[in-house]
Amino acid sequence: GQNIDQPTEMTATEGAIVQINCTYQTSGFNGLFWYQQHAGEAPTFLSYNVLDGLEEKGRFSSFLSRSKGYSYLLLKELQMKDSASYLCALNSGYSTLTFGKGTMLLVSP
Amino acid sequence: GAVVSQHPSWVICKSGTSVKIECRSLDFQATTMFWYRQFPKQSLMLMATSNEGSKATYEQGVEKDKFLINHASLTLSTLTVTSAHPEDSSFYICSARAQGQGKYEQYFGPGTRLTVT
């Protein structure tokens, strides 16, 4: 089975940088995803890591360490619209995704 | 590209009735579609995986006779909630994986809010 842990809530101010951590245990690994979900809406894809290291995409970066079972999502130059839930999701090799419970990020002025 | 639609976006039904939710991949062919359920302030829970032309694979604890899934074409999957009860009220989200896509990325539909009264 899989187990995914991420903080329940985080707060940050506009313009700041925030790092959302995700740790996991799994018997198989075929990639880790980060999704953003605004209240009442479906998740939107942010990033995908399958190899160790940092993937940068604009204001968003995601890091993976497979040996440590650890990933983080880094958000720079925070904007109010970044207030949302951020979901860490694991692909264990059977094409299905297992989602963490999500981290609710609140960006304040 | 990679747009997934769902219909309806919200539905209210009476207890004991059935509701059908459609999930369509608009600009790509989806060999695999997934159905999730999300309760308030909870994460997405996978209900079932459907492959075009074959029976869906249900996750443990999901009643296949209550949640009927049909994936009749490469662009359409339907979820029918039969004999709905208030505890079935939830946000139902489908996702689709494109044919031949290597990194298992899933594209999500906008979700359907079901309220059973």
Side-chain angles (χ1 to χ4, degrees):
Chain A
Q2 298 86 39
N3 187 48
I4 300 172
D5 288 310
Q6 47 180 136
T8 305
E9 290 181 350
M10 297 184 71
T11 58
T13 54
E14 205 173 4
I17 300 173
V18 69
Q19 177 175 312
I20 302 174
N21 296 324
C22 171
T23 57
Y24 63 88
Q25 296 87 38
T26 181
S27 54
F29 181 84
N30 202 18
L32 188 137
F33 293 80
W34 283 95
Y35 285 86
Q36 180 191 61
Q37 186 180 26
H38 286 98
E41 299 180 7
T44 55
F45 170 78
L46 291 179
S47 69
Y48 168 75
N49 295 71
V50 67
L51 299 176
D52 290 351
L54 188 68
E55 293 279 343
E56 297 186 79
K57 190 183 292 185
R59 293 191 300 115
F60 294 73
S61 303
S62 58
F63 172 84
L64 175 68
S65 169
R66 289 172 295 172
S67 62
K68 296 182 179 179
Y70 169 68
S71 173
Y72 68 72
L73 179 70
L74 193 71
L75 294 79
K76 303 175 185 176
E77 301 170 15
L78 280 174
Q79 303 174 8
M80 297 296 288
K81 67 178 182 180
D82 296 330
S83 292
S85 182
Y86 291 86
L87 308 174
C88 174
L90 191 62
N91 183 312
S92 60
Y94 297 98
S95 82
T96 59
L97 290 179
T98 302
F99 283 85
K101 292 187 176 180
T103 298
M104 181 64 67
L105 173 66
L106 178 62
V107 181
S108 57
Chain B
V3 178
V4 176
S5 71
Q6 275 184 247
H7 179 79
S9 55
W10 60 271
V11 57
I12 302 173
C13 71
K14 291 187 177 180
S15 187
T17 61
S18 295
V19 174
K20 179 185 283 189
I21 303 170
E22 294 185 349
C23 176
R24 294 181 184 273
S25 56
L26 299 184
D27 51 2
F28 66 99
Q29 293 186 326
T31 49
T32 306
M33 286 186 169
F34 306 88
W35 286 96
Y36 295 86
R37 180 167 52 181
Q38 186 176 36
F39 292 105
K41 297 188 178 181
Q42 299 292 315
S43 192
L44 283 77
M45 296 300 296
L46 180 66
M47 299 175 67
T49 302
S50 74
N51 291 295
E52 185 264 338
S54 61
K55 289 183 179 180
T57 302
Y58 290 81
E59 295 299 301
Q60 194 172 9
V62 178
E63 300 174 57
K64 61 180 182 181
D65 294 329
K66 180 172 180 63
F67 298 99
L68 302 178
I69 292 172
N70 184 283
H71 192 164
S73 77
L74 285 172
T75 59
L76 174 64
S77 176
T78 61
L79 167 68
T80 302
V81 183
T82 62
S83 187
H85 291 287
E87 57 264 31
D88 297 324
S89 298
S90 186
F91 193 46
Y92 291 86
I93 306 173
C94 74
S95 71
R97 178 168 167 253
Q99 191 171 20
Q101 200 168 35
K103 59 178 182 178
Y104 305 109
E105 182 175 330
Q106 296 180 23
Y107 300 97
F108 286 85
T112 297
R113 176 78 56 193
L114 170 64
T115 302
V116 185
T117 61

